[in-house]
Amino acid sequence: MSAETANGPTEDQVEILEYNFNKVHKRPDPTTLCLIAAEAGLSEEETQVLMIARRKICLLSLALDYFSLLPPQCKDI
């Protein structure tokens, strides 16, 4: 049974996932994913879902940053 609660991962689990996302790999291979899951106390499936969600947040942030650099007349398109 995973340590994840019905409300999502704990702060410690998020810290472990963030560290691995930022310092190890944003797209871990199956072996690395297994190690990250074990370290965080999550299932591999939960870990994979959370890593994918984190990548999507990162991409959205990049898109918003790009959008903020556009001239005002382009934002109304």
Side-chain angles (χ1 to χ4, degrees), residues 3 7-8 10-11 16 22-24 26-28 31 41 43-44 61 66 73-74 76:
N7 295 325
T10 66
E11 285 184 38
I16 291 166
N22 292 316
K23 303 287 184 190
V24 179
K26 290 176 179 28
R27 295 180 183 272
T31 302
S43 72
E44 290 178 47
S61 176
Y66 175 77
Q73 62 271 23
C74 294
D76 295 331

Side-chain angles (χ1 to χ4, degrees), residues 1-4 13 16 35-43 46-47:
M1 178 114 191
S2 103
E4 184 180 18
Q13 290 169 325
I16 291 166
L35 293 171
I36 295 169
E39 182 182 0
L42 298 166
S43 72
E46 290 167 324
T47 304

Side-chain angles (χ1 to χ4, degrees), residues 8-35:
T10 66
E11 285 184 38
D12 290 340
Q13 290 169 325
V14 170
E15 190 175 304
I16 291 166
L17 293 170
E18 281 293 320
Y19 173 82
N20 283 284
F21 184 83
N22 292 316
K23 303 287 184 190
V24 179
H25 204 287
K26 290 176 179 28
R27 295 180 183 272
D29 60 76
T31 302
T32 304
L33 184 70
C34 181
L35 293 171

